[in-house]
Amino acid sequence: MSTAAPADTNQPASSQTPFESAWTQWHEAHESLRRDPHGFLAVTDLHWITTEAAALAGAPGTWRLADDAVHVTLGAGESLLRDGVELNTTENLNAEGELVFGPIEERDGINLGHRNSVLELAKRGGEYILRPRNPSNALLRNYQGTPAFVPTKSLVVAAQYVPFRQPRETTVSAAVEGISHVYQAPGKVTFKLDGAELALTAFNGSAPGTFQVLFTDETSGISTYAANRTLTFTAPEQGGTTTLDFNRSVNLPCAYTDLATCPLPPAENHLPVAITAGEKIPFEREAAQ
């Protein structure tokens, strides 16, 4: 696999400013996570588990949904691991000879081992899904790195975080049809860019003490991925000032694969300006756009 060059430039690292160097280190670390042998680029299938028992490509046994849990029947000699421990043993089976997983909370999941794959069992949009992740997947093997704009300080923006009196339940569409995601929006960020007063609804970030915004802008579908990008920022405790570094706007998994269930931004999170910073359309999607 090749290593992505820092942004859209061949500028050697030795000649970068401290600002550019910090961005390059951040982006290389982000790219390293993408290349994880069992990351989202390794996903080979997206299975929706139903009440009808079915064999699923890339996974052993048959899988069915009952009582808000996933029931798996394995054949003799079939193996499924959790935390490295074999599950296909008598003491792990219910009276029907099944393994049972769940209930699983929305946007949560567990990882199961099968041969050299990881099977991600999760709940998305109220539905149970199974996504096998195999290191030999062509999308991962052929990954070229993600192009990005040259970082610029002009798109590091001072912002004001304004908490809502109560978190607002916000329903957004998903990258796949038929499901939606519900988030609690604790507040919004307001800022000025190109003379325009702008605002973005914020959701809680994946790391403690952070928020994230899902957004599109006037580059979406032209130089950046059409459906969404995301930006994480520090969460002021009770409202107050923060910083939006749009150079660190990143693609979600759906920018690379149709096997992702990523949320789309709420309607109010389209910015009527061009954010020429952060990650661009992946090479894998250029032909499609």
Side-chain angles (χ1 to χ4, degrees):
M1 300 176 191
S2 62
T3 301
D8 288 349
T9 177
N10 293 320
Q11 180 184 7
S14 60
S15 66
Q16 292 182 349
T17 66
F19 172 78
E20 292 168 335
S21 179
W23 180 91
T24 298
Q25 292 177 23
W26 165 82
H27 196 235
E28 288 178 347
H30 197 72
E31 290 280 56
S32 179
L33 290 175
R34 281 206 184 100
R35 290 188 170 90
D36 186 294
H38 294 115
F40 70 80
L41 295 176
V43 173
T44 59
D45 296 278
L46 170 59
H47 301 299
W48 300 90
I49 300 173
T50 69
T51 55
E52 190 73 26
L56 305 178
T62 59
W63 302 65
R64 70 183 181 94
L65 181 65
D67 301 322
D68 196 28
V70 175
H71 296 240
V72 183
T73 301
L74 297 176
E78 291 186 315
S79 175
L80 200 59
L81 307 177
R82 186 170 186 182
D83 297 327
V85 177
E86 177 59 56
L87 297 178
N88 194 10
T89 61
T90 303
E91 58 267 28
N92 291 320
L93 305 178
N94 66 6
E96 288 74 37
E98 302 170 310
L99 296 170
V100 180
F101 303 102
I104 295 175
E105 296 295 323
E106 180 66 27
R107 289 190 295 279
D108 202 356
I110 60 175
N111 289 329
L112 303 169
H114 173 58
R115 297 176 180 170
N116 64 336
S117 294
V118 166
L119 310 181
E120 176 199 9
L121 179 61
K123 183 180 278 188
R124 297 292 185 270
E127 305 287 340
Y128 280 90
I129 63 171
L130 186 76
R131 284 188 287 209
R133 297 169 178 242
N134 191 295
S136 65
N137 190 37
L139 184 62
L140 176 60
R141 287 190 293 105
N142 299 328
Y143 181 58
Q144 304 174 58
T146 297
F149 292 97
V150 175
T152 171
K153 289 184 178 181
S154 65
L155 284 164
V156 180
V157 181
Q160 184 78 17
Y161 171 65
V162 182
F164 300 139
R165 288 188 177 181
Q166 295 291 334
R168 296 178 183 175
E169 189 172 274
T170 305
T171 301
V172 298
S173 299
V176 294
E177 293 184 9
I179 69 168
S180 58
H181 298 281
V182 179
Y183 288 89
Q184 296 294 319
K188 65 180 180 179
V189 281
T190 62
F191 56 100
K192 180 178 283 190
L193 195 59
D194 292 345
E197 297 285 349
L198 303 171
L200 290 167
T201 296
F203 300 140
N204 291 315
S206 57
T210 64
F211 291 139
Q212 67 165 330
V213 287
L214 300 167
F215 72 95
T216 54
D217 64 273
E218 292 301 292
T219 69
S220 300
I222 301 172
S223 56
T224 63
Y225 185 58
N228 51 21
R229 287 193 289 168
T230 184
L231 175 63
T232 298
F233 63 96
T234 302
E237 291 185 4
Q238 300 296 329
T241 59
T242 188
T243 300
L244 303 180
D245 185 351
F246 284 103
N247 298 288
R248 302 193 179 196
S249 303
V250 298
N251 295 322
L252 276 72
C254 57
Y256 303 83
T257 174
D258 293 332
L259 305 178
T261 60
C262 303
L264 303 183
E268 68 270 20
N269 277 20
H270 176 76
L271 298 174
V273 295
I275 304 295
T276 53
E279 293 187 332
K280 293 185 173 185
I281 298 170
F283 297 120
E284 292 80 1
R285 289 291 193 186
E286 283 182 336
Q289 296 200 177

